[in-house]
Amino acid sequence: MEDIENIKLEYLRIEDYEELKEAMIESYVTMPDLYWKKHHIKKLIDIFPEGQVVIKINDQIAGCALSIIVDYDKLDNLHTYKDITGNDTFNTHRPDGDVIYGIDVFIRPKFRGLRLGRRLYDYRKELCERSNLRGLAFGGRIPNYHKYSDTLTPKQYLEKVKSKEINDPVLNFQISNDFHPTRVLKNYLQGDTSSGDYAILLEWDNIYYEKENKKASSVKTVVRLGLIQWQMRPYKDMDELMQQAEFFVDAVSGYRSDFAVFPEFFNAPLMAENNNLSTPDAVRELAKHTQEIVSRFAQLAISYNINIITGSMPEMVDDKLYNVGYLCRRDGSLERYEKLHVTPDEAKVWGMVGGNKLQTFDTDCGKIGVLICYDSEFPELSRLLADEGMDILFVPFLTDTQNGYSRVRHCAQARAIENECYVAIAGSVGNLPKVENMDIQFAQSAVLTPCDFAFPLNGIKAEATTNTEMILIADVDIDLLRNLNEYGSVKNLKDRRKDLFTLTKSFK
């Protein structure tokens, strides 16, 4: 270490060949005649210069990585090294392919132990991300296999290496660098007696890969959320209520938000006009306004170029009263979601019933889910949405007391951690003295995150002032979730013991 003056990663040049040849012979002592000839190296540099790199220590070659690009789906599942290299012609290289295939990585013996191999793999990953390719693949040698070939199949050997019963420094190193074994390749590299001519196909997935979209639209990765902490106050009619709603849509849109999020039952002030009726009848009268409110929100979504989560409203369907909301996309399309678990009070006082619809929704900002208030306290629902690829969970809520709010808040934070997603909760504040069963409201709207190094230490991205009418604007980065899914300190989604339990939908 004390003799190292500099370490450099450089593109391989044909002028480096003689030193490269020497390094290859030193690195493959069991296969001294299997070094690349000069015309091979020249061909690789000509067809894919970015894929051929060397690490130099004190200007001396210490290691090398050679690669091509392939059309991965067209490869034979049981390909050999000769297949991949086109019998050493490299005519298998496809500039318009989708996966970088590593054909060689080596470190000279005297430079091993300096983690130089990781630098070469990291370079390939960065190249893959920079080039928007699906991932990396290569056939990994298993040089210790010959010690166990009399008693173990290659598959059994692989399982024992993974369970740490057998030490294979090459395979262990590759797995520790986020490559996952996918299959055993037979007769992969002839002459590799240490591996018994076998190899393990190893893959790394580029979580940032975006398939080419031929449409003029793209999914955003940094999404701006606009939460409306709504003040409950009297309104003389629906026009006045929607005027206030438009004011808030205008406000969050002015900050270029991608979503405007309203609370549960934000339209409850309109029940005051029917205060002479029984409470069940009054809420059913309120339900008569729902379709017009949704229609107006749909127009606002288009005119303000913003996706709107309408919170929730009562709605009558086949003489049954539901608690529902709508996603009004900025392209004019609509989606409907339902509250599945109504509270005891909703059922007892209003005669409301739970819905039976649960799904994620595609938006121009990724997949989202919506759970209304009490539903957030049932972890199975959000887990089902996470299994469908949900990135952001919206929770419109209405709570009258602080302990009721705390249930929603703490459960929402748990949903963010266990499902590796963002959770945005939006509630109402104030009071409605002239509306039965809607006396007071307590809220602190917030945007909650998983708890890992790329996120706030306490899992709180942003939060509103308690019990104050306001808007809350926060940006969330979807790419951070992709990184968390693959490289997080813990992997809540991947580490589930699906061999012990399963979760399935059984909705009608």
Side-chain angles (χ1 to χ4, degrees):
M1 291 290 293
E2 60 270 17
D3 296 330
I4 296 177
E5 296 178 3
N6 59 73
I7 300 177
K8 296 183 290 186
L9 182 72
E10 298 180 350
Y11 290 134
L12 177 62
R13 302 173 304 146
I14 195 62
E15 292 81 5
D16 294 320
Y17 178 72
E18 291 303 324
E19 187 183 356
L20 180 71
K21 175 182 175 182
E22 180 184 330
M24 286 187 285
I25 293 172
E26 286 181 17
S27 299
Y28 295 119
V29 292
T30 60
M31 299 178 288
D33 298 326
L34 293 182
Y35 59 86
W36 293 108
K37 307 301 188 290
K38 189 171 185 178
H39 68 277
H40 293 138
I41 298 301
K42 184 177 185 306
K43 179 69 177 291
L44 286 169
I45 293 173
D46 288 343
I47 62 175
F48 186 28
E50 299 91 346
Q52 328 311 324
V53 291
V54 290
I55 284 183
K56 292 185 177 181
I57 295 182
N58 300 342
D59 296 321
Q60 181 182 1
I61 290 179
C64 177
L66 308 175
S67 313
I68 59 175
I69 300 176
V70 297
D71 190 340
Y72 202 58
D73 288 339
K74 294 183 179 179
L75 288 184
D76 189 321
N77 285 341
L78 299 178
H79 58 266
T80 67
Y81 195 69
K82 290 291 187 183
D83 295 332
I84 282 297
T85 62
N87 203 21
D88 298 343
T89 66
F90 311 117
N91 60 10
T92 49
H93 174 72
R94 297 288 181 269
D96 59 348
D98 57 359
V99 168
I100 292 177
Y101 199 104
I103 59 174
D104 207 346
V105 169
F106 63 84
I107 303 296
R108 294 178 86 161
K110 64 181 177 180
F111 293 113
R112 290 171 186 169
L114 299 177
R115 297 184 177 88
L116 301 181
R118 174 166 296 191
R119 296 190 187 212
L120 293 172
Y121 282 129
D122 285 348
Y123 169 78
R124 279 180 176 167
K125 292 174 184 177
E126 291 167 7
L127 176 61
C128 187
E129 292 173 359
R130 195 165 64 243
S131 305
N132 191 35
L133 298 173
R134 277 172 49 193
L136 307 174
F138 61 90
R141 299 178 62 234
I142 44 176
N144 279 358
Y145 177 61
H146 67 280
K147 300 176 183 179
Y148 303 90
S149 58
D150 291 340
T151 57
L152 298 175
T153 66
K155 182 179 179 181
Q156 292 170 332
Y157 177 80
L158 172 61
E159 292 302 319
K160 288 188 176 293
V161 171
K162 289 167 66 177
S163 64
K164 307 302 183 185
E165 297 177 59
I166 292 176
N167 177 43
D168 187 306
V170 175
L171 193 54
N172 283 339
F173 170 75
Q174 290 156 348
I175 293 174
S176 71
N177 275 275
D178 303 312
F179 289 91
H180 52 273
T182 57
R183 66 178 63 90
V184 174
L185 299 173
K186 188 177 181 181
N187 298 320
Y188 184 72
L189 180 61
Q190 293 183 1
D192 185 5
T193 54
S194 297
S195 303
D197 291 344
Y198 287 102
I200 305 298
L201 182 64
L202 293 141
E203 298 177 351
W204 175 84
D205 300 319
N206 176 14
I207 59 177
Y208 304 112
Y209 171 68
E210 293 183 9
K211 191 173 182 179
E212 183 181 357
N213 190 348
K214 297 182 179 179
K215 297 181 180 179
S217 62
S218 60
V219 175
K220 300 184 68 171
T221 56
V222 177
V223 180
R224 181 160 293 177
L225 308 180
L227 278 57
I228 292 131
Q229 188 154 283
W230 177 266
Q231 173 81 41
M232 290 292 197
R233 57 164 65 91
Y235 295 96
K236 65 180 181 182
D237 55 27
M238 188 170 68
D239 287 338
E240 191 173 71
L241 178 125
M242 289 306 297
Q243 184 179 32
Q244 183 72 5
E246 183 172 1
F247 164 78
F248 281 119
V249 171
D250 186 13
V252 297
S253 174
Y255 289 102
R256 302 184 65 82
S257 297
D258 296 295
F259 288 93
V261 189
F262 285 82
E264 181 183 24
F265 288 131
F266 80 97
N267 63 337
L270 296 181
M271 289 178 68
E273 65 187 14
N274 297 304
N275 215 27
N276 59 312
L277 302 176
S278 67
T279 304
D281 288 339
V283 76
R284 282 161 175 77
E285 286 298 314
L286 180 64
K288 293 178 180 180
H289 295 300
T290 295
Q291 287 309 309
E292 184 176 351
I293 292 175
V294 173
S295 177
R296 292 199 187 192
F297 268 129
Q299 294 172 23
L300 294 177
I302 295 171
S303 59
Y304 286 96
N305 188 30
I306 191 169
N307 302 299
I308 299 177
I309 307 293
T310 67
S312 81
M313 296 160 276
E315 185 174 75
M316 294 293 297
V317 179
D318 297 330
D319 295 326
K320 291 183 179 180
L321 181 66
Y322 294 91
N323 187 349
V324 308
Y326 286 81
L327 162 64
C328 301
R329 296 191 186 90
R330 52 179 142 208
D331 65 4
S333 59
L334 294 175
E335 300 280 4
R336 181 177 178 275
Y337 50 87
E338 301 175 339
K339 188 172 187 178
L340 306 185
H341 298 85
V342 297
T343 62
D345 192 65
E346 286 173 312
K348 181 177 64 176
V349 177
W350 288 340
M352 190 167 276
V353 298
N356 57 14
K357 180 181 180 181
L358 179 71
Q359 67 180 95
T360 55
F361 303 110
D362 290 311
T363 73
D364 57 357
C365 301
K367 279 188 182 291
I368 68 163
V370 186
L371 295 178
I372 302 172
C373 198
Y374 194 32
D375 279 339
S376 66
E377 300 174 30
F378 297 84
E380 300 87 353
L381 300 182
S382 56
R383 179 49 53 85
L384 288 167
L385 296 175
D387 285 341
E388 293 180 9
M390 174 184 65
D391 297 316
I392 307 172
L393 174 63
F394 294 100
V395 181
F397 70 90
L398 175 71
T399 51
D400 55 354
T401 61
Q402 188 168 356
N403 58 315
Y405 165 75
S406 295
R407 288 194 295 268
V408 172
R409 168 65 176 257
H410 294 317
C411 287
Q413 191 139 23
R415 303 298 84 87
I417 294 169
E418 67 198 15
N419 295 304
E420 298 176 348
C421 67
Y422 296 107
V423 181
I425 63 174
S428 297
V429 301
N431 59 83
L432 288 172
K434 293 185 179 182
V435 177
E436 290 289 336
N437 204 43
M438 295 290 295
D439 303 321
I440 57 174
Q441 287 78 46
F442 184 102
Q444 184 181 29
S445 303
V447 177
L448 308 168
T449 75
C451 293
D452 214 314
F453 296 116
F455 303 91
L457 295 178
N458 59 1
I460 303 171
K461 176 70 176 180
E463 56 187 349
T465 303
T466 305
N467 286 345
T468 301
E469 182 176 47
M470 62 178 292
I471 60 174
L472 181 67
I473 308 291
D475 287 348
V476 294
D477 189 339
I478 304 302
D479 280 344
L480 292 181
L481 298 179
R482 303 286 176 270
N483 194 67
L484 176 70
N485 296 155
E486 293 293 328
Y487 311 121
S489 302
V490 294
K491 302 179 179 69
N492 293 83
L493 287 176
K494 284 192 170 185
D495 290 344
R496 284 177 292 162
R497 289 290 305 275
K498 291 185 177 181
D499 57 321
L500 298 180
F501 59 88
T502 58
L503 184 63
T504 57
K505 275 201 252 185
S506 59
F507 299 109
K508 296 178 182 178

